[in-house]
Amino acid sequence: MWFLAVLWASCLLMGTHAQSSTSFRRANAGNGRCQYTFTVDSPTETSCPSPGSSPEMEALKSRLGLLEALVARLVGGDTLSESSQGSGSQSGLQDAYNQVMGENAQLQREKQSLDRQVQDLQQRMEELRQEAERLRSRPCMQQPPPRVPQNDNSFRPGSGPALSHLVSRPVNTRGDKSSLRDSAWHYKNPGYQELTAVVTEVSAPNLEGPTDISGCGDLVWVQEPEVHRKADSIAGKYGVWMQDPEAKEPYGPEMATFMSWRIDAVGSEVRQLFGYENMDQLSRGFPTKVLLLPESMVSTGATMYRGSLYYQRRLSRTLLRYDLQSESIAARRDLPHAGFHGQFPYSWGGYTDIDLAVDENGLWAIYSTNKAKGAIMISQLDPHNLEVKGTWETKIRKTSVANAFMICGNLYTVASYTSPNTTINYMYDTATSLDKTISVPFKNRYRYNSMVDYNPAQRKLYAWDNYYMVSYNVRLGKQE
């Protein structure tokens, strides 16, 4: 009886409205059992509703139906039938669906941004790994400590230290007292000396007067850098920018002093060549011409000359001449025995094994070979078919200098790419096959100079210094 009473009371509790009242009382029956008494208003069977007929149950079923519909929509399930949802629930489901899709799109954008950052970091890690391997494989040569010259700013044999890794030829037919001669160097002993650098000032008289742009001479002075533009993204951390000193149609001769070209060299597929009508357009970042190179280039060693872009093809020692008028490859040739893909780069890296340059005498290639054991080689090239016309071997390591360029047939090297106050520290004359140490002050304002090239028409050095495209006025004269 007590079980039926409980069941009956539960039924009444579920079926009654909020105003119905019930009471419950427990007492000892006297025989060791508890007696439970329920009192319910209107205790008729008709007051216990049939299963599923309660308004609360109907509301609960409705809410469960809406919840099931929402789950089905979110996981791609079937669409609810119109009988199971009203217009209000449809609007709520659509709002929830739109919110989820918006959050998904935002997550996708954040994932793409993170993927790009990861790729940039992986590329930088690869460059650092290759630099570490190169440093580990570099031999160490023990040398006696250098002696500092006393009361004499000139370099003389036996009287003072050489600049790091610089050694002149054993015979100086010109009797140039500023050259460094090291008795330890012989052709039969091609070892290099690694000595401490000593920087001395080189006098440059009459620097306040007008620049003489006629004729050739030695580099005696480099002006402070002038900034023209900063690159927009990580792809422009290093690159190459230039002007054609002997421009041709359709970009010359009237545009020879104005048309500028730029290539961002960061990335595995470097193929875009941007052209700017004048320096103002370059500084504002508005190219008037964008060309897509047929074959990908590598490093910052490209140059512009006589209406063509000259560059090194990626992962090879092949040189290409890209004709701007026809927008096609006009010539190709392998540079004999030249190192590539990180064998003999400049000290900053960047696969700068082959550096092409232009001066008053024409087109040049600066590189090294296994036979030269890392020493800088200079070859003059035919600008039409890239044939080698002549080759010279210097006595300075390519990996020990930051960059190099040609002026009037002379090779010049930059000592450091990170030091804000460094020097142009070495000169090799291809006309006489003589070399010497020099010390022309040079500024790396932004401390990561990855490209230095000379323009004979403008008589300026063009450089790419840590996202910044800069230029330097120079003065030629006679080295004292």
Side-chain angles (χ1 to χ4, degrees):
M1 289 296 294
W2 62 269
F3 175 77
L4 293 177
V6 170
L7 181 59
W8 182 40
S10 299
C11 181
L12 290 175
L13 286 173
M14 293 177 61
T16 57
H17 297 289
Q19 65 268 21
S20 299
S21 62
T22 61
S23 63
F24 167 76
R25 185 169 62 87
R26 182 179 65 180
N28 193 340
N31 56 357
R33 297 186 177 183
C34 291
Q35 182 178 3
Y36 298 90
T37 305
F38 294 87
T39 303
V40 182
D41 293 341
S42 302
T44 62
E45 293 183 358
T46 58
S47 66
C48 186
S50 60
S53 62
S54 168
E56 289 84 356
M57 292 297 293
E58 292 297 331
L60 179 60
K61 289 171 60 179
S62 177
R63 287 194 295 272
L64 287 175
L66 292 177
L67 180 59
E68 291 174 352
L70 177 60
V71 173
R73 290 291 298 274
L74 292 179
V75 299
D78 296 334
T79 306
L80 290 175
S81 62
E82 293 183 358
S83 60
S84 63
Q85 57 181 351
S87 61
S89 62
Q90 176 66 29
S91 175
L93 289 174
Q94 185 63 39
D95 292 342
Y97 176 78
N98 292 338
Q99 181 179 359
V100 170
M101 294 304 295
E103 293 174 352
N104 180 64
Q106 178 66 24
L107 290 175
Q108 289 294 332
R109 289 192 294 270
E110 294 177 356
K111 179 179 181 297
Q112 293 174 358
S113 177
L114 291 174
D115 288 342
R116 288 192 296 268
Q117 295 179 19
V118 169
Q119 291 176 358
D120 292 338
L121 290 174
Q122 289 176 343
Q123 181 177 357
R124 182 56 181 161
M125 289 175 62
E126 177 64 17
E127 292 177 356
L128 292 175
R129 184 189 64 79
Q130 293 177 356
E131 178 68 9
E133 291 178 355
R134 184 183 66 80
L135 293 175
R136 284 196 297 267
S137 62
R138 184 176 177 179
C140 295
M141 304 290 291
Q142 294 185 354
Q143 298 293 337
R147 294 176 294 169
V148 179
Q150 301 294 329
N151 301 323
D152 193 350
N153 289 331
S154 64
F155 290 103
R156 294 179 298 184
S159 64
L163 288 179
S164 175
H165 51 259
L166 304 183
V167 183
S168 68
R169 293 188 177 274
V171 178
N172 187 342
T173 57
R174 294 186 299 182
D176 191 346
K177 292 184 178 180
S178 64
S179 298
L180 173 66
R181 181 179 179 184
D182 194 326
S183 59
W185 175 266
H186 299 285
Y187 288 106
K188 296 181 180 179
N189 180 21
Y192 294 92
Q193 290 193 353
E194 304 291 337
L195 304 180
T196 304
V198 174
V199 177
T200 59
E201 295 292 334
V202 176
S203 61
N206 194 27
L207 294 183
E208 301 300 327
T211 301
D212 179 15
I213 61 173
S214 63
C216 273
D218 298 341
L219 179 64
V220 296
W221 175 76
V222 178
Q223 191 186 36
E224 293 277 338
E226 176 185 359
V227 178
H228 299 283
R229 187 189 171 197
K230 182 181 180 182
D232 302 323
S233 65
I234 184 65
K237 180 175 176 59
Y238 52 85
V240 55
W241 77 285
M242 54 218 154
Q243 291 180 326
D244 191 339
E246 298 184 22
K248 293 185 177 182
E249 294 293 344
Y251 307 105
E254 67 278 0
M255 299 180 69
T257 58
F258 299 104
M259 195 70 182
S260 300
W261 301 89
R262 176 194 116 238
I263 302 174
D264 294 334
V266 176
S268 59
E269 282 293 325
V270 179
R271 297 178 61 189
Q272 287 185 318
L273 173 64
F274 300 91
Y276 301 87
E277 191 175 69
N278 50 51
M279 294 300 292
D280 180 63
Q281 297 291 347
L282 173 70
S283 63
R284 296 169 62 189
F286 298 148
T288 57
K289 188 76 172 178
V290 180
L291 301 176
L292 187 65
L293 301 176
E295 300 181 47
S296 180
M297 65 170 283
V298 69
S299 86
T300 59
T303 193
M304 195 75 69
Y305 187 53
R306 294 183 180 178
S308 293
L309 172 72
Y310 297 84
Y311 68 96
Q312 176 191 355
R313 190 179 69 180
R314 182 172 176 263
L315 297 176
S316 74
R317 60 172 60 93
T318 303
L319 304 182
L320 301 175
R321 177 169 80 88
Y322 176 77
D323 182 71
L324 296 177
Q325 185 174 16
S326 64
E327 298 183 9
S328 62
I329 300 297
R332 69 174 64 235
R333 188 179 297 271
D334 284 357
L335 187 59
H337 311 295
F340 64 95
H341 200 60
Q343 285 182 284
F344 305 109
Y346 291 125
S347 59
W348 74 270
Y351 302 120
T352 50
D353 301 80
I354 300 177
D355 188 9
L356 298 171
V358 171
D359 71 354
E360 292 81 355
N361 294 352
L363 179 65
W364 303 84
I366 303 168
Y367 62 103
S368 188
T369 65
N370 288 327
K371 184 178 180 181
K373 299 182 179 180
I376 288 181
M377 303 286 293
I378 311 167
S379 289
Q380 190 169 17
L381 307 177
D382 185 316
H384 179 70
N385 58 19
L386 298 173
E387 181 181 356
V388 175
K389 300 166 61 176
T391 299
W392 294 259
E393 180 178 344
T394 70
K395 302 303 177 186
I396 178 172
R397 288 182 187 272
K398 190 168 185 296
T399 57
S400 64
V401 297
N403 226 298
F405 54 90
M406 301 293 297
I407 298 181
C408 296
N410 296 332
L411 171 78
Y412 295 91
T413 65
V414 181
S416 172
Y417 66 95
T418 56
S419 174
N421 298 298
T422 185
T423 61
I424 297 171
N425 60 350
Y426 177 82
M427 169 184 169
Y428 183 92
D429 188 345
T430 59
T432 61
S433 296
L434 296 174
D435 60 354
K436 60 182 176 181
T437 57
I438 60 175
S439 183
V440 179
F442 185 84
K443 301 286 187 180
N444 294 314
R445 179 177 295 176
Y446 301 103
R447 303 193 178 189
Y448 200 95
N449 204 328
S450 58
M451 165 249 168
V452 182
D453 276 334
Y454 174 67
N455 186 302
Q458 302 297 315
R459 189 148 288 186
K460 290 183 178 182
L461 294 176
Y462 290 63
W464 195 298
D465 189 359
N466 204 12
Y467 296 94
Y468 287 90
M469 285 155 266
V470 300
S471 65
Y472 305 77
N473 288 323
V474 301
R475 185 179 297 275
L476 307 183
K478 179 64 178 177
Q479 287 281 353
E480 296 184 357

